[in-house]
Amino acid sequence: MPSNGDRKEQTHFLVKLYEEDVRLVYNAIDFYHKNRPKSAERSEYMQEPTAHLEYMKQAMMTIMMESSFQKNK
């Protein structure tokens, strides 16, 4: 989900996260999504699209579900 133009032009990172790390990121995004101020009340650097937050939450949920699936094989 592009947030600011073509993602191919953005810097990217490979990060090693454990399940508890992914859950923490998911919870942080979810909390922020539910509690962030209205657009007019947010600083310019906080004007991320709602669709990008939803994409990130879904990505973290997918990782957690895959982990759960792998444990229950």
Side-chain angles (χ1 to χ4, degrees):
M1 171 64 51
S3 58
N4 292 324
D6 187 8
R7 290 180 75 126
K8 293 178 186 174
E9 300 299 321
Q10 294 181 17
T11 302
H12 64 278
F13 307 92
L14 297 176
V15 180
K16 182 176 183 177
L17 296 175
Y18 292 91
E19 183 178 2
E20 64 188 8
D21 304 330
V22 173
R23 188 169 306 282
L24 178 63
V25 171
Y26 174 87
N27 289 336
I29 294 168
D30 186 51
F31 181 85
Y32 174 69
H33 188 203
K34 290 175 181 173
N35 295 290
R36 69 183 175 155
K38 303 237 182 267
S39 183
E41 300 169 1
R42 295 194 310 263
S43 302
E44 184 177 335
Y45 73 92
M46 297 174 71
Q47 293 297 325
E48 65 287 314
T50 300
H52 193 191
L53 289 175
E54 291 169 350
Y55 167 80
M56 290 299 300
K57 279 176 52 177
Q58 183 61 46
M60 296 300 109
M61 179 58 72
T62 299
I63 293 168
M64 292 186 301
M65 290 173 64
E66 178 65 25
S67 175
S68 179
F69 175 75
Q70 292 298 326
K71 286 179 183 176
N72 294 318
K73 273 186 159 181

